[in-house]
Coordinates of all heavy atoms in Angstrom, one line a residue:
Chain B
M16 N 56.5 58.9 -26.0 CA 57.0 58.2 -24.8 C 57.9 57.2 -25.3 O 57.6 56.3 -26.1 CB 55.8 57.8 -24.0 CG 55.7 56.4 -23.3 SD 57.0 55.9 -22.4 CE 57.3 54.4 -23.1
T17 N 59.1 57.1 -24.7 CA 60.0 56.1 -25.1 C 60.6 55.4 -23.8 O 60.6 54.2 -23.8 CB 61.2 56.6 -26.0 OG1 61.9 57.6 -25.4 CG2 60.7 56.9 -27.3
T18 N 61.1 56.1 -22.9 CA 61.8 55.5 -21.8 C 60.8 55.2 -20.7 O 59.8 55.7 -20.5 CB 62.9 56.5 -21.3 OG1 62.3 57.7 -20.9 CG2 63.9 56.8 -22.3
I19 N 61.4 54.2 -19.8 CA 60.7 53.8 -18.6 C 61.2 54.7 -17.6 O 60.3 55.3 -16.7 CB 61.1 52.4 -18.2 CG1 60.9 51.4 -19.4 CG2 60.2 52.0 -17.0 CD1 61.5 50.1 -19.1
L20 N 62.5 54.9 -17.5 CA 63.0 55.8 -16.5 C 64.0 56.6 -17.2 O 64.5 56.3 -18.2 CB 63.9 54.9 -15.5 CG 63.1 53.9 -14.7 CD1 64.1 53.0 -14.0 CD2 62.2 54.5 -13.8
D21 N 64.3 57.9 -16.7 CA 65.3 58.6 -17.2 C 66.7 58.2 -16.6 O 66.6 57.3 -15.7 CB 65.1 60.1 -17.2 CG 65.1 60.6 -15.8 OD1 65.7 59.8 -14.9 OD2 64.5 61.6 -15.5
T22 N 67.7 58.7 -17.0 CA 69.1 58.2 -16.6 C 69.4 58.5 -15.2 O 70.2 57.9 -14.6 CB 70.2 58.8 -17.6 OG1 69.9 60.3 -17.7 CG2 70.2 58.1 -18.9
T23 N 68.6 59.4 -14.5 CA 68.9 59.6 -13.1 C 68.0 58.6 -12.2 O 68.1 58.6 -11.1 CB 68.4 61.0 -12.7 OG1 67.0 61.1 -13.0 CG2 69.2 62.1 -13.4
G24 N 67.2 57.8 -12.9 CA 66.5 56.8 -12.2 C 65.0 57.2 -11.9 O 64.3 56.5 -11.3
A25 N 64.8 58.5 -12.2 CA 63.4 59.0 -11.9 C 62.4 58.4 -12.8 O 62.7 58.2 -14.0 CB 63.5 60.6 -11.9
L26 N 61.2 58.2 -12.3 CA 60.2 57.6 -13.3 C 59.7 58.6 -14.2 O 59.5 59.8 -14.0 CB 59.1 57.3 -12.2 CG 58.1 56.3 -12.8 CD1 58.7 55.0 -12.9 CD2 57.0 56.1 -11.7
Q27 N 59.4 58.0 -15.4 CA 58.7 58.8 -16.5 C 57.4 58.1 -16.6 O 57.1 57.0 -16.5 CB 59.5 58.7 -17.7 CG 60.7 59.6 -17.7 CD 61.0 60.2 -18.9 OE1 60.5 59.8 -20.0 NE2 61.9 61.2 -19.0
K28 N 56.6 59.1 -17.0 CA 55.1 58.6 -17.1 C 55.0 57.6 -18.4 O 55.5 58.0 -19.4 CB 54.2 59.8 -17.3 CG 52.8 59.6 -17.1 CD 52.2 60.8 -16.9 CE 50.6 60.8 -16.5 NZ 49.7 60.3 -17.2
V29 N 54.3 56.5 -18.3 CA 54.1 55.7 -19.4 C 52.7 56.0 -20.0 O 51.7 56.1 -19.4 CB 54.0 54.1 -19.0 CG1 53.6 53.3 -20.0 CG2 55.4 53.8 -18.4
V30 N 52.8 56.2 -21.3 CA 51.5 56.5 -22.0 C 51.4 55.4 -23.1 O 52.2 55.2 -23.9 CB 51.6 57.8 -22.7 CG1 50.3 58.1 -23.5 CG2 51.9 59.0 -21.7
P31 N 50.2 54.7 -23.2 CA 50.0 53.7 -24.1 C 49.9 54.3 -25.4 O 49.4 55.5 -25.7 CB 48.6 53.1 -23.6 CG 48.1 53.9 -22.7 CD 49.1 54.8 -22.1
P32 N 50.2 53.5 -26.5 CA 50.2 54.0 -27.9 C 48.7 54.2 -28.2 O 47.8 53.4 -27.8 CB 50.8 52.9 -28.7 CG 50.7 51.7 -27.8 CD 50.8 52.2 -26.4
Q33 N 48.5 55.2 -29.0 CA 47.1 55.4 -29.4 C 46.8 54.4 -30.6 O 47.5 54.4 -31.6 CB 47.0 56.8 -29.9 CG 45.6 57.4 -30.1 CD 45.0 57.5 -28.7 OE1 45.6 57.9 -27.7 NE2 43.7 57.1 -28.6
N34 N 45.8 53.7 -30.5 CA 45.4 52.7 -31.5 C 43.9 52.7 -31.7 O 43.2 52.1 -30.9 CB 45.9 51.3 -31.3 CG 45.6 50.4 -32.5 OD1 44.8 50.7 -33.3 ND2 46.3 49.3 -32.5
D35 N 43.4 53.4 -32.6 CA 41.8 53.7 -32.8 C 41.2 52.4 -33.1 O 40.0 52.2 -33.0 CB 41.7 54.7 -33.8 CG 42.2 56.1 -33.3 OD1 42.3 56.3 -32.0 OD2 42.5 57.0 -34.2
A36 N 42.1 51.4 -33.7 CA 41.4 50.2 -34.1 C 40.9 49.3 -32.8 O 40.0 48.4 -32.9 CB 42.3 49.3 -35.1
E37 N 41.6 49.6 -31.8 CA 41.3 48.7 -30.6 C 40.1 49.2 -30.0 O 39.8 50.4 -29.9 CB 42.5 48.8 -29.5 CG 43.7 48.1 -30.0 CD 44.9 48.1 -29.0 OE1 44.7 48.8 -27.9 OE2 45.9 47.5 -29.2
P38 N 39.2 48.2 -29.4 CA 38.0 48.7 -28.8 C 38.3 49.4 -27.5 O 39.4 49.4 -27.0 CB 37.3 47.4 -28.4 CG 38.3 46.3 -28.7 CD 39.5 46.8 -29.5
Q39 N 37.3 50.1 -27.1 CA 37.4 51.0 -26.0 C 37.8 50.2 -24.7 O 38.5 50.7 -23.8 CB 36.1 51.7 -25.7 CG 36.2 52.8 -24.6 CD 37.2 53.8 -24.8 OE1 37.5 54.3 -25.9 NE2 38.1 54.2 -23.7
R40 N 37.3 48.9 -24.6 CA 37.6 48.2 -23.4 C 39.1 47.9 -23.3 O 39.7 48.1 -22.2 CB 36.8 46.9 -23.6 CG 36.8 46.0 -22.4 CD 36.1 44.7 -22.6 NE 37.0 43.8 -23.5 CZ 38.0 43.1 -23.1 NH1 38.3 43.1 -21.9 NH2 38.7 42.4 -23.9
I41 N 39.7 47.7 -24.4 CA 41.2 47.5 -24.4 C 41.9 48.7 -24.0 O 42.8 48.7 -23.2 CB 41.7 46.9 -25.7 CG1 40.9 45.6 -26.1 CG2 43.2 46.7 -25.8 CD1 41.1 44.4 -25.2
A42 N 41.5 49.8 -24.6 CA 42.1 51.1 -24.4 C 42.0 51.5 -22.9 O 43.0 52.1 -22.3 CB 41.4 52.2 -25.2
T43 N 40.9 51.1 -22.3 CA 40.8 51.4 -20.8 C 41.8 50.6 -20.0 O 42.4 51.0 -19.1 CB 39.3 51.1 -20.5 OG1 38.4 51.8 -21.3 CG2 39.1 51.5 -18.9
I44 N 41.8 49.3 -20.4 CA 42.8 48.4 -19.7 C 44.2 49.0 -19.8 O 44.9 49.0 -18.9 CB 42.8 47.0 -20.2 CG1 41.4 46.3 -19.9 CG2 43.9 46.1 -19.7 CD1 41.2 44.9 -20.5
R45 N 44.6 49.4 -21.0 CA 45.9 49.8 -21.2 C 46.2 51.1 -20.4 O 47.2 51.3 -19.9 CB 46.1 50.2 -22.7 CG 46.3 48.9 -23.6 CD 46.7 49.5 -25.0 NE 46.8 48.4 -26.0 CZ 47.8 47.6 -26.2 NH1 48.9 47.5 -25.4 NH2 47.9 46.8 -27.3
Q46 N 45.1 51.9 -20.4 CA 45.3 53.2 -19.6 C 45.4 53.0 -18.1 O 46.3 53.5 -17.5 CB 44.1 54.1 -19.9 CG 44.1 55.5 -19.4 CD 45.3 56.2 -19.9 OE1 45.6 56.2 -21.1 NE2 46.1 56.9 -19.2

Side-chain angles (χ1 to χ4, degrees):
Chain B
M16 134 55 234
T17 52
T18 58
I19 310 170
L20 300 172
D21 67 21
T22 45
T23 62
L26 195 66
Q27 287 215 346
K28 202 166 185 291
V29 171
V30 180
Q33 199 63 40
N34 184 343
D35 295 337
E37 286 181 2
Q39 185 54 42
R40 193 183 68 83
I41 303 296
T43 305
I44 290 172
R45 286 193 187 273
Q46 192 57 44

